[in-house]
């Protein structure tokens, strides 16, 4: 008789806490509340087609993007759940211009700040394509007991103490790291629990999937154009080109590439010199996960997590995934800045 052992998210969080003898349980309590908010949002995402929650709420967010009802729902419920845990003194969200600080005594004594994109890929909500929540957690810098400051949020990604995402897809998963590897949990709706399903997620060192919005090809940097053409020529080993996969939902594209191997690219373009994705609550958490899984994440020239942030919603060019793929595109980008030509394993006809 095989022993069917289920490890729930909360059991795993408590077991992991034992690695930190000095822990008092506050961080575990915070992660537990992330799981609660994820289940609440999941419930609404799963029935979005059935109730009047699709469509636009009629206003735009700080990014100037039209807000979908589910964006607002997810933002409100994550803020509520994270506030209720009492461990966080303030939150920054893609949906809010400035950070939200909690002025009650319990929160003012919170040791952490929480950053999030509450519902990333929201343009896919009404067409039933996977969407996700991305989160990042830091220890506050400002004195405990006082109001949070912007400095608490403008820390480099290397200072993250946890990061993760919730993927509302064919099944709902929560994937996170606290710096000791990447772990994945799949929601079992029959018991309402996230159950351990991917004990240690490691991304292949190389891959054959490239994810980029090729509709912007003409505006890409030369190095990116050259990399795309490289992906499209014959692969000497298997005699077929790489595979292009892009669904316009960062969490879904990243998750697929994390498991199968691949690279996700959102580069700078002539019209958007800093790219589109936000450093603090999209690129840094994804970069933490990518590196913890053995992959890489950069802006094409330096590791994403080493960038010193200057504003809450700043954007950065983003290249992340299998180590060897990111390193090659970095070389191609840099050859056009430092004149060193890269010896590609293929003879590339002159690319326009
Ligand atoms: P584009 C969704 O709006 C998002 O922030 C990411 O989830 C996704 O990777 C990207 O934008 C898609 O952008 O310009 O290709 O539609």
């Amino acid at each position: 008789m095989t022993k069917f052992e289920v490890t729930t998210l909360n059991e795993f969080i408590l077991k992991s806490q034992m690695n930190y003898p000095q822990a008092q349980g506050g961080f575990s309590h915070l992660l537990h509340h992330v799981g609660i908010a994820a289940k609440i949002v999941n419930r609404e995402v799963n029935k979005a087609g059935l109730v009047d929650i699709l469509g636009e709420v009629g206003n735009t967010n700080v990014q100037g993007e039209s807000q979908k009802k589910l964006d607002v729902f997810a933002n409100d419920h994550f803020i509520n759940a994270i506030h209720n845990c009492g461990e966080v003194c303030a939150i920054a969200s893609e949906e809010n211009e400035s950070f939200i600080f909690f002025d009650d005594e319990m929160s003012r004594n919170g040791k952490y700040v929480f950053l999030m994109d509450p519902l990333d890929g929201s343009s896919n909500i009404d067409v039933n394509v996977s969407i996700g929540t991305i989160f990042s957690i830091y220890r506050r810098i400002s004195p405990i007991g006082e109001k949070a400051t912007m400095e608490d949020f403008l820390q480099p990604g290397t200072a993250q103490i946890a990061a993760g995402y919730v993927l509302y897809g064919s099944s709902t998963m929560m994937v996170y790291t606290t710096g000791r590897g990447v772990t994945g949990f799949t929601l079992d709706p029959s018991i309402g629990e996230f159950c351990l399903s991917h004990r240690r997620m490691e991304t292949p060192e190389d891959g054959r999937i490239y994810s980029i919005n090729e509709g912007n090809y003409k505006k890409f940097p030369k190095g990116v154009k050259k990399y795309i053409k490289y992906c499209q020529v014959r692969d000497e080993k298997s005699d077929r080109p790489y595979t292009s996969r892009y669904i316009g939902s960062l969490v879904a594209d990243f998750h697929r590439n994390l498991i199968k191997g691949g690279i996700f690219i959102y580069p700078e373009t002539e019209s958007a010199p800093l790219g589109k994705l936000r450093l603090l609550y999209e690129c840094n958490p994804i970069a933490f996960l990518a590196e913890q899984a053995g992959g890489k994440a950069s802006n094409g020239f330096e590791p994403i997590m080493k960038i010193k942030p200057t504003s809450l919603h700043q954007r950065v060019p983003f290249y992340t995934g299998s180590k060897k793929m990111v390193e090659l595109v970095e070389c191609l980008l840099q050859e056009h800045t430092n004149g060193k030509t890269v010896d590609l394993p293929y003879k590339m006809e002159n690319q326009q």
Side-chain angles (χ1 to χ4, degrees), residues 164-178:
Y165 56 77
V166 183
L167 176 60
Y168 310 99
S170 47
S171 61
T172 292
M173 281 194 71
M174 180 163 153
V175 175
Y176 79 91
T177 181
T178 59

Side-chain angles (χ1 to χ4, degrees), residues 41-55 69-70 125-128:
V41 173
N42 173 68
R43 185 188 60 201
E44 292 307 305
V45 166
N46 276 349
K47 63 181 185 183
L50 304 174
V51 298
D52 175 30
I53 199 158
L54 291 179
K69 289 179 181 174
L70 266 178
I125 291 174
D126 291 355
V127 291
N128 203 21

Side-chain angles (χ1 to χ4, degrees), residues 120-121 213 246 248-250 264 266 276-278 282:
D120 177 78
N213 184 343
Y246 188 79
S249 192
L250 170 60
F264 174 92
Y266 207 103
K276 172 183 184 181
L277 300 181
R278 289 80 169 180
E282 288 176 329

Side-chain angles (χ1 to χ4, degrees), residues 21-304:
Q22 76 286 0
Q24 292 146 352
F27 183 56
S28 299
H29 189 209
L30 169 52
L31 288 174
H32 169 65
H33 276 255
V34 173
I36 291 173
K39 286 189 266 190
I40 293 170
V41 173
N42 173 68
R43 185 188 60 201
E44 292 307 305
V45 166
N46 276 349
K47 63 181 185 183
L50 304 174
V51 298
D52 175 30
I53 199 158
L54 291 179
E56 304 190 359
V57 74
N59 52 23
T60 57
N61 65 10
V62 64
Q63 319 294 335
E65 294 161 347
S66 66
Q67 270 192 318
K68 305 275 185 183
K69 289 179 181 174
L70 266 178
D71 282 82
V72 177
F73 179 89
N75 198 43
D76 293 349
H77 280 274
F78 266 95
I79 291 171
N80 195 44
I82 300 306
H83 183 192
N84 286 343
C85 87
E87 309 292 346
V88 166
C89 62
I91 285 189
S93 167
E94 183 196 41
E95 299 298 331
N96 299 83
E97 187 148 7
S98 186
F99 64 84
I100 302 157
F101 69 88
F102 303 127
D103 209 7
D104 55 282
E105 187 179 351
M106 182 171 65
S107 302
R108 265 205 309 278
N109 290 321
K111 292 188 280 190
Y112 307 106
V113 290
F114 189 89
L115 299 89
M116 67 177 175
D117 181 352
L119 208 58
D120 177 78
S122 48
S123 57
N124 290 310
I125 291 174
D126 291 355
V127 291
N128 203 21
V129 167
S130 301
I131 49 183
T133 297
I134 311 171
F135 65 89
S136 172
I137 303 171
Y138 291 82
R139 277 189 194 79
R140 72 186 296 178
I141 294 175
S142 55
I144 286 190
E146 295 182 14
K147 269 169 64 172
T149 64
M150 186 60 83
E151 191 194 10
D152 290 321
F153 292 95
L154 301 183
Q155 301 183 55
T158 47
Q160 291 176 99
I161 59 168
Y165 56 77
V166 183
L167 176 60
Y168 310 99
S170 47
S171 61
T172 292
M173 281 194 71
M174 180 163 153
V175 175
Y176 79 91
T177 181
T178 59
R180 291 171 175 248
V182 177
T183 313
F185 299 81
T186 302
L187 183 64
D188 179 341
S190 68
I191 57 172
E193 291 284 1
F194 279 107
C195 300
L196 180 62
S197 55
H198 298 67
R199 185 169 289 278
R200 189 169 182 96
M201 299 179 81
E202 291 179 345
T203 195
E205 194 183 27
D206 207 346
R208 305 174 51 75
I209 296 171
Y210 68 102
S211 305
I212 186 170
N213 184 343
E214 294 192 49
N216 299 321
Y217 181 85
K218 285 182 76 171
K219 297 184 281 187
F220 287 156
K222 278 197 188 116
V224 171
K225 289 180 177 176
K226 199 165 177 183
Y227 184 71
I228 290 172
K229 289 304 169 197
Y230 163 79
C231 292
Q232 292 168 347
V233 300
R234 294 223 166 280
D235 175 318
E236 62 184 0
K237 292 188 283 299
S238 54
D239 196 29
R240 58 189 174 82
Y242 285 16
T243 297
S244 172
R245 286 284 183 276
Y246 188 79
I247 65 168
S249 192
L250 170 60
V251 173
D253 281 320
F254 177 77
H255 182 76
R256 177 199 55 243
N257 294 358
L258 178 71
I259 292 171
K260 295 188 169 206
I263 186 170
F264 174 92
I265 300 175
Y266 207 103
E268 62 278 28
T269 61
E270 288 148 18
S271 49
L274 290 176
K276 172 183 184 181
L277 300 181
R278 289 80 169 180
L279 173 61
L280 291 188
Y281 42 77
E282 288 176 329
C283 300
N284 268 334
I286 295 295
F288 194 12
L289 291 161
E291 292 199 3
Q292 281 290 311
K296 271 195 93 168
S298 82
N299 64 358
F301 297 89
E302 64 174 315
I304 281 288

